């Protein structure tokens, strides 16, 4: 299995915007990248660093979130910011300061994460929020919904283009295996 290339990444992003091919490359667009520090999301950082050389009209900003759930998160978010800087990308650490619910913490953390990132995108006029959800995440979402007894409408999987809190969400890797993203990071 080969690693993912900057050219393939550019095409994936362009295909998800209202523009096409070279027209997309020549549009001034700001992509905010959701990067947690895991190999899946680090592939966004690696690919954006390579893509920015080929798409001078595109701007990339790495967003990393400290939910306030673990002491190690401070160090992890600083590490992501350091990697972004080394790659020549702007970055922002978003820190949650509210109360964390004691029930359904994963769902609460997801809502906090998307809330902070969406607010940042609106405030800084980012056109898109890009996540590294991949093929296995897509399958897991479908199976979780099936296990919960969702009807046919509820069984739909994640969409490549969505809207979260008024921000356009792009998931360019939904048809890409996790191993390919990991290989991309390892190669970098």
């Amino acid at each position: 299995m080969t690693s993912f290339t900057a050219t393939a990444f550019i095409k994936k992003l362009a295909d998800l915007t209202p523009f096409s091919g070279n027209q997309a490359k020549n549009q001034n667009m700001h992509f905010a990248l959701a990067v947690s520090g895991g190999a899946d999301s680090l592939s966004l950082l690696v690919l954006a660093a390579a893509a920015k050389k080929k798409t001078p009209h595109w701007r990339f900003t790495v967003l990393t979130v400290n939910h306030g759930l673990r002491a190690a998160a401070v160090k992890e978010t600083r590490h992501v910011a350091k990697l972004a800087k080394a790659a020549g990308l702007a970055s922002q650490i978003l820190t949650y300061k509210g109360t964390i619910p004691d029930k359904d913490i994963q769902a609460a953390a997801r809502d906090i994460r998307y809330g902070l990132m969406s607010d940042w995108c609106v405030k800084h006029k980012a056109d898109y929020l890009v996540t590294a959800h991949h093929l296995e995440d897509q399958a897991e979402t479908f199976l979780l919904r099936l296990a919960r007894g969702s009807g046919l409408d509820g069984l739909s999987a994640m969409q490549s283009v969505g809207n979260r809190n008024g921000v356009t969400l792009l998931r360019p890797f939904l048809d890409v295996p996790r191993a390919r993203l990991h290989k991309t990071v390892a190669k970098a």
Side-chain angles (χ1 to χ4, degrees):
M1 181 174 296
T2 61
S3 62
F4 211 79
T5 66
T7 301
F9 181 60
I10 291 166
K11 180 172 180 358
K12 287 271 192 193
L13 289 180
D15 287 348
L16 298 177
T17 70
F19 311 102
S20 62
N22 286 331
Q23 182 189 18
K25 285 186 194 179
N26 295 320
Q27 295 296 316
N28 288 318
M29 291 190 277
H30 184 186
F31 297 92
L33 310 172
V35 179
S36 66
D40 300 350
S41 66
L42 283 176
S43 66
L44 285 174
L45 188 153
V46 167
L47 291 166
K52 80 176 196 151
K53 297 172 187 169
K54 299 177 181 223
T55 54
H57 296 287
W58 289 9
R59 199 168 114 215
F60 297 97
T61 302
V62 171
L63 302 181
T64 186
V65 175
N66 176 355
H67 302 84
L69 294 171
R70 300 175 298 108
V74 172
K75 185 176 178 182
E76 292 165 359
T77 55
R78 286 182 183 157
H79 180 69
V80 169
K82 183 178 176 183
L83 291 173
K85 183 178 181 180
L89 298 173
S91 69
Q92 185 66 49
I93 297 172
L94 306 174
T95 304
Y96 180 67
K97 305 222 187 271
T99 305
I100 304 288
D102 39 355
K103 294 180 185 172
D104 204 3
I105 293 175
Q106 283 189 344
R110 181 179 57 249
D111 290 343
I112 289 166
R113 187 169 53 252
Y114 277 111
L116 288 170
M117 291 187 297
S118 297
D119 289 349
W120 188 94
C121 288
V122 169
K123 184 176 180 181
H124 294 89
K125 296 181 171 63
D127 299 292
Y128 304 101
L129 175 59
V130 185
T131 69
H133 291 110
H134 48 74
L135 186 62
E136 287 83 356
D137 289 327
Q138 183 75 301
E140 181 181 329
T141 298
F142 179 83
L143 292 173
L144 285 171
R145 289 177 180 169
L146 181 65
R148 278 191 238 137
S150 291
L152 287 179
D153 290 339
L155 285 179
S156 64
M158 288 184 277
Q159 301 298 310
S160 296
V161 179
N163 187 298
R164 187 80 182 219
N165 303 330
V167 174
T168 302
L169 180 64
L170 303 181
R171 296 180 180 107
F173 302 139
L174 290 180
D175 61 347
V176 177
R178 169 187 285 137
R180 189 168 182 203
L181 298 179
H182 288 207
K183 185 161 188 151
T184 301
V185 173
K187 183 177 179 185

